[in-house]
Amino acid sequence: MKRKRTNESGERTEKDRLSDLPDEVLQHIMEFLPTRQAIQTCVLSKRWKNLWKGITTLHFRCTNGIRKYNRYIIHVLSNRYDSISLRNMNFRVFSSTAPKVMNKAIEYASLHNLQELTLIIMDIKFKEIPSSSLPFVFNCKSLTSLNLYARSSSSPLIFPPYLPLPFLKTLHLSNVTFKPRDDNNVEPFSGCTSLTTLVLEHSMRTNSSYTLCISNPTISILRMQSIIYWHTFQPKIVLSLPKLTSITLENIHFPVCYKLTCTCDLPLLKEVKIDNRVHVDSSIIVNWLQMFSNVRTLIISSRTLKDLHLDPLEIQPPYFARLELFKIEMDSRTVLSKGALTKVVDYFLRNCQRRNVNVSADSYGHVCSFIL
């Protein structure tokens, strides 16, 4: 950025305003760039030659082939200023070299107080997280956010049955499953004693029936998106989350074939959102809602409601003790008549303790609200 000015002889010149900024501000700006572009600024002048070495966010992208990319990651980590902490790192690992690159990168991160890690494993040839990698992940005591995506169409990445990450606050896992213990149970999150947000996406695919216990004293937000199971098995998911305030259950491509139960009445629950784009048996939806009797805001998509057969004589309506808002999220591809909406509202609120529940339906851009 340049600013025009006039010198003593009256001639108009340009001043480089960007060069007036302190190094810390320039480095902050560079952190919004992919790391390769940030490093390329070193050609601008002598001042810029080593500026990139002090940035605290590294975002690697593969552009010149896998082998060069893997070597590039190690080169960047080896040439950063060793005394500067690393706040955020985002990178992908590929093929058979993945364990080696992942180990070195995570080992470096654990020694430089990394806070946020996004790791995308592409074309995985190993089915389990290598045991040699686990100490580096679990010894990263400063880590507060972990996003791990295993991109493979054949099978999920297998995690150990227990994750000792006591300082982690946010955990997002995609296409992973857990190795069950001898009793065919798994309780991976109980050791994450600072965890507040857990997202499980396209996860828990397995060819055996085991029980996944989502047990944690601090989780307040839980999102389970497109949880996939083999249709020949019906594993169980047991929730033990006394501080849960929000839960989202979303299924896009595959029908629900797991059993969901809860060990407590979720006294702090504020919001429940259910969005199924595939058919789910009516009894399953109602059974979920029976567990969420203390919810204050209930959000259900019209796609979820379209195929439900809600007959009070066949399926007892759920009971809600504190419900304040019942919201139906309409989809342009799902048409529900006013009569169908009235039937849904009447069914779900039949056993509601509060009589002044606000009901809204966003229909074709218009929100219709009324008080029962």
Side-chain angles (χ1 to χ4, degrees):
M1 180 181 296
K2 294 185 178 181
R3 176 178 54 193
K4 291 184 178 181
R5 64 177 183 174
T6 304
N7 58 19
E8 295 180 355
S9 61
E11 297 177 348
R12 301 193 70 182
T13 61
E14 291 184 343
K15 181 179 179 181
D16 186 356
R17 297 179 63 185
L18 194 61
S19 297
D20 290 341
L21 299 175
D23 289 355
E24 294 78 8
V25 175
L26 293 176
Q27 288 168 338
H28 179 70
I29 295 173
M30 293 166 66
E31 290 178 350
F32 290 94
L33 300 173
T35 299
R36 186 177 295 275
Q37 293 181 18
I39 295 176
Q40 289 172 345
T41 62
C42 68
V43 302
L44 296 178
S45 68
K46 290 183 178 180
R47 182 193 176 191
W48 288 80
K49 182 177 180 180
N50 294 313
L51 270 181
W52 73 269
K53 297 181 180 180
I55 61 178
T56 62
T57 294
L58 298 177
H59 189 171
F60 298 104
R61 294 180 180 177
C62 182
T63 57
N64 296 321
I66 294 174
R67 292 188 179 277
K68 289 183 178 180
Y69 168 77
N70 289 337
R71 290 196 295 268
Y72 174 68
I73 291 178
I74 303 303
H75 172 77
V76 171
L77 297 180
S78 301
N79 285 275
R80 278 188 79 249
Y81 288 138
D82 199 55
S83 60
I84 303 295
S85 295
L86 187 59
R87 182 180 60 84
N88 189 322
M89 183 163 65
N90 184 318
F91 72 105
R92 301 185 180 201
V93 290
F94 293 84
S95 301
S96 58
T97 59
K100 180 179 178 180
V101 175
M102 184 169 64
N103 283 358
K104 289 187 176 181
I106 296 177
E107 180 183 15
Y108 179 91
S110 66
L111 295 174
H112 290 79
N113 304 311
L114 182 69
Q115 297 178 36
E116 301 174 16
L117 172 62
T118 297
L119 176 61
I120 303 173
I121 303 177
M122 306 291 294
D123 303 321
I124 55 177
K125 292 186 178 180
F126 53 95
K127 300 305 180 185
E128 300 182 21
I129 289 285
S131 58
S132 59
S133 304
L134 294 178
F136 298 130
V137 177
F138 298 151
N139 288 335
C140 197
K141 301 301 183 183
S142 57
L143 200 63
T144 61
S145 177
L146 173 61
N147 301 294
L148 191 147
Y149 306 88
R151 299 290 174 86
S152 172
S153 59
S154 57
S155 61
L157 188 65
I158 301 175
F159 262 52
Y162 182 74
L163 305 179
L165 294 168
F167 300 101
L168 201 65
K169 295 181 179 179
T170 302
L171 177 60
H172 188 152
L173 300 177
S174 179
N175 195 25
V176 304
T177 189
F178 299 92
K179 181 182 294 185
R181 303 188 303 248
D182 293 338
D183 60 359
N184 214 30
N185 292 333
V186 60
E187 191 175 346
F189 310 112
S190 58
C192 304
T193 52
S194 299
L195 194 63
T196 59
T197 300
L198 174 63
V199 180
L200 300 176
E201 180 183 5
H202 298 287
S203 297
M204 269 46 93
R205 284 189 292 167
T206 177
N207 58 359
S208 65
S209 180
Y210 70 77
T211 299
L212 169 66
C213 300
I214 304 180
S215 175
N216 186 279
T218 57
I219 288 179
S220 60
I221 299 174
L222 173 64
R223 293 199 293 271
M224 295 196 294
Q225 303 172 350
S226 298
I227 301 297
I228 306 170
Y229 279 107
W230 293 85
H231 296 280
T232 54
F233 300 92
Q234 281 195 327
K236 297 178 181 178
I237 298 179
V238 179
L239 306 181
S240 182
L241 304 171
K243 292 191 177 181
L244 190 68
T245 61
S246 174
I247 181 171
T248 298
L249 302 173
E250 179 183 272
N251 295 281
I252 299 177
H253 303 296
F254 302 92
V256 176
C257 50
Y258 60 86
K259 298 178 181 179
L260 182 65
T261 59
C262 189
T263 62
C264 63
D265 60 0
L266 304 174
L268 304 180
L269 191 60
K270 294 181 179 179
E271 180 180 286
V272 171
K273 182 175 181 179
I274 300 176
D275 183 10
N276 290 294
R277 303 180 190 181
V278 294
H279 174 69
V280 178
D281 189 86
S282 304
S283 62
I284 293 178
I285 302 296
V286 176
N287 286 338
W288 286 352
L289 295 178
Q290 296 285 9
M291 293 184 292
F292 307 140
S293 60
N294 283 319
V295 66
R296 294 184 181 273
T297 298
L298 175 61
I299 304 172
I300 302 182
S301 68
S302 59
R303 289 171 293 196
T304 302
L305 298 174
K306 182 180 179 181
D307 296 325
L308 293 184
H309 301 286
L310 303 174
D311 188 342
L313 298 178
E314 297 181 2
I315 305 176
Q316 181 67 20
Y319 168 76
F320 297 111
R322 302 185 300 172
L323 189 64
E324 299 173 357
L325 171 63
F326 178 31
K327 181 178 180 181
I328 301 173
E329 288 192 343
M330 303 295 290
D331 185 275
S332 59
R333 293 167 295 181
T334 305
V335 179
L336 288 178
S337 65
K338 185 175 181 180
L341 286 175
T342 302
K343 182 179 179 181
V344 165
V345 171
D346 178 71
Y347 175 85
F348 280 110
L349 301 186
R350 179 164 300 190
N351 291 337
C352 185
Q353 183 169 324
R354 293 171 57 96
R355 303 313 304 170
N356 58 339
V357 178
N358 186 23
V359 181
S360 68
D362 185 353
S363 179
Y364 309 108
H366 302 284
V367 177
C368 305
S369 300
F370 51 92
I371 303 295
L372 293 185

